């Protein structure tokens, strides 16, 4: 379960108004608000930014991932809106059962597009703030927007349907290739919003875990080495599908995880993988070769009776493996969490191979000391 914080983005003050449903009088997103005694209809406008939380050891802080939306130009979010007449969200949500009687009756997976970075999202048909002072709307969003047409490309299947009282949930399948993997983002539920002088701002959080692997040659080996080659670098037996659900307005988590997938890595290239408990079968495996300079050393080859002088000698290592949930760090990493980065480090030494790991919140850096695991 991951908690999303919204206190950085306060709700704007409400202003009572009479809703006059006329396109000629509508105030579009980005227009100056009217100051007439009878206020005109005001469109609901949206913006985003991507959050990377930083853990300072005591409190969790939020910092901007990007100065603007964090979403590519012409990228789209999906929005769910809940209208609850003259009542707060708390009156519609059972915190102990994680259920609600509210339906997404204001917006149901509404596509909104970042057409012009730095401006509000565009969408159609335009929605307007309710007309009574006590009326409230709660919003939640995700990225990238997905419908039946592009579900195979994003790997996301929105599960909430019309007339169902629930917060949204999503079935998600991680793509096998890094170039195809999706940075799945979700917002907290922004509750009890009323007619605003500004707009609705969604902070978006990473729903996946970022994982990458680095291979480092230690100095004791580097002095003798001409070059090395990584022939295979992979993580095996990982779950690649699951369902993301909200357990409160600000908490979300993964369930119904399934699959058994291997992912081939390039050194230092991150992959966006499914948060999960790391079973004993999840392993990090490396096949590599080391080529040494020999300065023309003479070798006697058995069975030939011939002595041959060679300048280089290559030594191949196949199947050096570490069980991922035992790789040393401050404490063994037994679970990948959303919105976190996991960096696994393989150190090649003259006498051994060591596997270590770093775990940080998205954007933070930590250092760990290697602990050797002897190669068989």
């Amino acid at each position: 379960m991951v908690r999303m914080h919204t206190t950085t983005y306060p709700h704007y003050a409400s202003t009572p108004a009479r809703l006059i449903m006329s396109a000629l009088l509508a105030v579009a997103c980005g227009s100056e608000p009217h100051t007439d005694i009878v206020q005109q209809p005001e469109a609901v406008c949206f913006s985003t930014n991507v959050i990377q939380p930083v853990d300072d050891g005591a409190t969790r802080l939020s910092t901007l991932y990007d100065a603007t939306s964090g979403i590519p130009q012409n990228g789209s979010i999906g929005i769910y809106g809940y209208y609850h007449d003259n009542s707060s969200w708390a009156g519609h949500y059972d915190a102990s059962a994680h259920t609600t009687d509210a339906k997404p009756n204001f917006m149901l997976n509404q596509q909104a597009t970042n057409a012009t970075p730095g401006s509000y999202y565009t969408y159609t048909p335009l929605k307007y703030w309710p007309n009574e002072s006590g009326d409230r709307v709660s919003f939640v969003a995700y990225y990238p927007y997905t419908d039946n047409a592009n579900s195979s490309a994003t790997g996301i299947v929105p599960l909430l349907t019309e007339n169902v009282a629930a917060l949204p949930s999503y079935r998600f399948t991680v793509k096998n290739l890094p170039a195809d993997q999706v940075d799945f983002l979700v917002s907290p539920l922004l509750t009890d919003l009323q007619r605003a002088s500004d707009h609705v701002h969604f902070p978006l959080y990473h729903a996946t875990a970022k994982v990458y692997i680095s291979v480092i040659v230690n100095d004791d080996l580097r002095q003798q080495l001409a070059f090395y080659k990584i022939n295979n670098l992979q993580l095996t037996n990982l779950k690649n599908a699951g369902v993301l659900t909200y357990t409160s307005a600000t908490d979300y988590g993964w369930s119904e995880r399934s699959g058994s997938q291997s992912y081939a890595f390039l050194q230092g290239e991150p992959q966006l993988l499914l948060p999960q408990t790391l079973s004993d079968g999840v392993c990090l495996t490396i096949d590599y070769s080391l080529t040494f300079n020999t300065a023309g050393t003479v070798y006697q080859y058995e069975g030939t009776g011939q002595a041959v002088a060679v300048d280089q000698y290559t030594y191949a290592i196949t199947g050096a493996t570490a069980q991922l949930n035992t790789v040393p760090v401050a404490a063994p990493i037994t679970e990948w969490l959303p919105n976190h980065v996991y960096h696994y480090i393989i150190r090649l030494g003259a006498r051994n191979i060591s596997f270590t790991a770093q775990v940080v919140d998205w954007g933070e850096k930590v250092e760990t000391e290697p602990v050797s695991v002897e190669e068989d």
Side-chain angles (χ1 to χ4, degrees):
M1 181 178 69
V2 173
R3 169 152 296 180
M4 298 178 285
H5 301 271
T6 60
T7 53
T8 305
Y9 304 97
H11 300 160
Y12 299 99
S14 61
T15 305
R18 180 178 301 276
L19 182 61
I20 305 174
M21 296 304 296
S22 167
L24 295 176
L25 297 178
V27 178
C29 293
S31 300
E32 292 296 325
H34 286 269
T35 56
D36 302 333
I37 295 176
V38 177
Q39 293 189 357
Q40 307 302 326
E42 185 177 339
V44 182
C45 305
F46 300 100
S47 67
T48 64
N49 74 289
V50 178
I51 296 294
Q52 54 180 31
V54 176
D55 191 350
D56 64 358
T59 59
R60 184 146 300 188
L61 308 176
S62 294
T63 57
L64 291 179
Y65 179 77
D66 196 349
T68 54
S69 69
I71 301 302
Q73 185 172 4
N74 296 320
S76 296
I77 59 174
I79 304 172
Y80 295 85
Y82 298 80
Y83 168 72
H84 31 103
D85 182 14
N86 200 28
S87 59
S88 69
W89 175 260
H92 296 272
Y93 186 77
D94 185 335
S96 60
H98 308 310
T99 58
T100 179
D101 62 6
K103 299 176 181 180
N105 51 7
F106 192 80
M107 285 182 168
L108 177 66
N109 198 20
Q110 172 67 56
Q111 182 179 10
T113 301
N114 182 29
T116 305
S119 299
Y120 296 134
Y121 281 67
T122 60
Y123 66 97
T124 186
L126 206 58
K127 293 283 189 174
Y128 302 90
W129 289 102
N131 60 332
E132 298 295 335
S133 61
D135 290 348
R136 306 177 188 189
V137 187
S138 297
F139 295 98
V140 65
Y142 74 98
Y143 169 86
Y145 167 79
T146 300
D147 59 12
N148 291 334
N150 70 335
S151 181
S152 61
T154 66
I156 300 170
V157 179
L159 300 178
L160 182 59
T161 57
E162 191 175 8
N163 296 321
V164 174
L167 285 170
S169 59
Y170 312 91
R171 188 174 301 280
F172 180 60
T173 302
V174 176
K175 300 295 182 180
N176 294 344
L177 299 178
D180 299 330
Q181 290 169 358
V182 171
D183 192 2
F184 184 18
L185 305 170
V186 292
S187 82
L189 182 73
L190 306 180
T191 59
D192 300 334
L193 303 185
Q194 297 172 277
R195 183 182 176 114
S197 59
D198 205 333
H199 62 285
V200 178
H201 183 90
F202 292 114
L204 297 171
Y205 291 76
H206 304 276
T208 57
K210 181 189 287 187
V211 181
Y212 63 103
I213 304 170
S214 296
V215 179
I216 299 173
V217 178
N218 287 343
D219 289 341
D220 61 348
L221 180 60
R222 189 181 298 276
Q223 293 171 1
Q224 311 168 45
L225 198 63
F227 59 87
Y228 72 100
K229 180 180 179 182
I230 305 300
N231 301 308
N232 176 48
L233 187 61
Q234 66 175 331
L235 292 176
T236 59
N237 298 319
L238 286 167
K239 298 186 185 304
N240 66 337
V243 175
L244 184 147
T245 56
Y246 284 83
T247 56
S248 73
T250 57
D251 295 333
Y252 68 95
W254 289 93
S255 62
E256 301 180 35
R257 284 164 283 205
S258 62
S260 179
Q261 183 65 41
S262 295
Y263 294 93
F265 279 73
L266 294 177
Q267 185 178 181
E269 179 184 59
Q271 298 202 36
L272 304 178
L273 303 180
L274 191 75
Q276 59 193 277
T277 299
L278 299 174
S279 68
D280 291 346
V282 178
C283 292
L284 168 56
T285 300
I286 181 173
D287 301 337
Y288 63 99
S289 60
L290 305 174
T291 299
F292 298 92
N293 291 317
T294 63
T297 302
V298 176
Y299 291 92
Q300 182 75 35
Y301 290 99
E302 292 184 8
T304 67
Q306 297 179 357
V308 179
V310 295
D311 293 322
Q312 291 184 333
Y313 175 76
T314 298
Y315 177 53
I317 298 92
T318 301
T321 300
Q323 186 174 303
L324 211 61
N325 60 12
T326 64
V327 169
V329 68
I333 300 168
T334 59
E335 182 177 10
W336 287 345
L337 298 174
N339 214 36
H340 284 65
V341 177
Y342 298 88
H343 180 196
Y344 293 92
I345 304 164
I346 301 173
R347 295 182 182 271
L348 306 181
R351 300 180 62 85
N352 59 52
I353 304 171
S354 68
F355 296 88
T356 60
Q358 298 176 355
V359 54
V360 298
D361 286 332
W362 214 287
E364 189 188 5
K365 295 181 180 179
V366 297
E367 297 296 333
T368 59
E369 291 299 321
V371 178
S372 294
V373 178
E374 293 294 333
E375 181 190 0
D376 292 335

